[in-house]
């Protein structure tokens, strides 16, 4: 019999240069994973782009790019961004080191296949598409190959599962809890969103992430509190738009 080692993955997305949130996630997850996967948007919005990219370059096994990474390294124009995202993108480009800009430039585009799943930033066919509803997810689930994908971009923990032509919306961790497990049967196709580490938008300001184990039919979603005030004062001290600091406390 061939021995296939199980790998326990720590899955992160949308860190958005929030070092305080990343630090809390890594402390919370310590000792519980073998390998780290990131679904893009390392930078943009937050005040610590170099700290986050330096960490990712050293510690993350598999990365894909997000739309903010593309803009920060000059691969995409920022004309589609709103005013505060533009201001943050300009600040990020100016503050990233040349090596870190180059590293962002070299990030692969999703979907990126690995084992029995794929890493996706937005949607399987369009890295910039927001899968925010069951209706929007249906098309993506119909064509999802392999049958399991991890995605980000919406900053909403949970995702969607398709079974017997019905799409189910997966709930995030309840605000009264720190962990929840979602399990599926072999006929189900799943798009799993670990949530955003650095700028959650699902009405829960806690940093979000997930664990997955090779070949498993379940995912564990997690939430952890972090030093929101610290991230906010760094954003204000950097001269970034105050709205980007305020929204962290609200989780939207
Ligand atoms: Zn993002």
């Amino acid at each position: 019999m061939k021995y296939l080692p199980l790998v326990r993955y720590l899955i992160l997305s949308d860190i958005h240069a929030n070092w305080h949130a990343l630090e809390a996630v890594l402390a919370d997850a310590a000792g519980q994973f073998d390998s780290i996967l990131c679904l893009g948007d390392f930078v943009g919005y937050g005040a610590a782009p170099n700290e986050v990219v330096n960490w990712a370059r050293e510690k993350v096994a598999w990365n894909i790019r997000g739309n903010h990474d593309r803009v920060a390294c000059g691969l995409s124009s920022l004309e589609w961004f709103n005013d505060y995202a533009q201001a943050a993108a300009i600040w990020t480009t100016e503050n990233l080191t040349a090596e870190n800009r180059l590293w962002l430039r070299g990030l692969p585009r999703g979907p990126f296949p690995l084992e029995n799943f794929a890493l996706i930033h937005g949607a399987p066919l369009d890295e910039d598409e927001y899968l925010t509803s069951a209706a929007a997810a249906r098309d993506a689930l119909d064509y999802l190959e392999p049958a399991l994908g991890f995605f980000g971009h919406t900053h909403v923990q949970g995702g969607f599962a398709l079974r017997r032509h019905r799409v189910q919306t997966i709930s995030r961790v309840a605000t009264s809890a720190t962990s929840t497990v979602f399990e599926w049967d072999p006929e189900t196709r799943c798009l799993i969103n670990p949530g955003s580490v650095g700028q959650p938008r699902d009405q829960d300001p806690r940093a979000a992430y997930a664990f997955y184990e090779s070949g498993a039919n379940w995912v564990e979603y997690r939430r952890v509190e972090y030093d929101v005030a610290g991230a906010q004062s760094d954003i204000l001290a950097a001269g970034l738009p105050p709205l980007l600091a305020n929204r962290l406390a609200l989780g939207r």
Side-chain angles (χ1 to χ4, degrees):
M1 204 173 98
K2 206 172 137 196
Y3 172 68
L4 288 172
L6 286 183
V7 181
R8 193 161 156 89
Y9 293 104
L10 170 63
I11 305 181
L12 309 179
S13 192
D14 299 281
I15 300 168
H16 282 292
N18 186 339
W19 182 255
H20 295 274
L22 177 59
E23 217 173 20
V25 164
L26 295 173
D28 194 51
Q32 299 169 76
F33 63 89
D34 309 306
S35 184
I36 306 175
L37 310 177
C38 279
L39 309 176
D41 278 4
F42 295 89
V43 301
Y45 298 137
N50 287 309
E51 289 85 340
V52 169
V53 172
N54 289 340
W55 166 84
R57 289 170 61 178
E58 196 187 329
K59 303 284 188 193
V60 180
W62 304 99
N63 293 294
I64 56 168
R65 68 187 192 184
N67 51 318
H68 287 261
D69 304 324
R70 285 201 332 261
V71 170
C73 68
L75 280 177
S76 294
S77 93
L78 42 71
E79 61 181 328
W80 302 106
F81 277 180
N82 57 37
D83 291 351
Y84 56 84
Q86 285 197 7
I90 292 164
W91 182 92
T92 302
T93 307
E94 287 170 359
N95 282 272
L96 276 169
T97 65
E99 300 97 87
N100 285 343
R101 272 202 306 273
L102 204 65
W103 183 82
L104 289 173
R105 259 188 119 83
L107 285 173
R109 170 210 290 255
F112 184 90
L114 200 69
E115 296 201 28
N116 60 320
F117 55 85
L119 308 182
I120 297 157
H121 184 64
L125 295 180
D126 179 355
E127 60 184 330
D128 293 339
E129 186 187 343
Y130 290 90
L131 295 179
T132 48
S133 67
R138 168 170 288 280
D139 284 345
L141 284 160
D142 275 335
Y143 298 103
L144 190 63
E145 188 55 51
L148 175 61
F150 293 97
F151 75 105
H153 196 41
T154 62
H155 301 206
V156 173
Q157 187 178 54
F160 306 95
L162 175 71
R163 186 169 188 276
R164 305 223 169 121
H165 309 291
R166 290 192 56 161
V167 180
Q168 177 193 354
T169 300
I170 307 166
S171 307
R172 60 158 162 74
V173 177
T175 49
S176 57
T178 55
S179 160
T180 188
V181 171
F182 178 75
E183 217 179 324
W184 58 87
D185 69 32
E187 275 135 76
T188 307
R189 293 161 174 275
C190 292
L191 278 164
I192 302 292
N193 191 329
S196 168
V197 171
Q199 196 199 74
R201 294 179 197 158
D202 51 10
Q203 330 297 322
D204 183 345
R206 295 176 299 170
Y209 68 99
F211 286 123
Y212 179 68
E213 200 173 88
S214 320
N217 64 335
W218 55 266
V219 61
E220 182 185 358
Y221 295 101
R222 302 275 288 245
R223 293 310 272 244
V224 63
E225 284 188 20
Y226 74 95
D227 181 8
V228 172
Q232 290 177 315
S233 59
D234 287 358
I235 285 171
L236 297 175
L240 286 158
L243 181 147
L244 296 174
N246 296 338
R247 69 187 302 175
L248 293 181
L250 307 170
R252 62 184 166 84

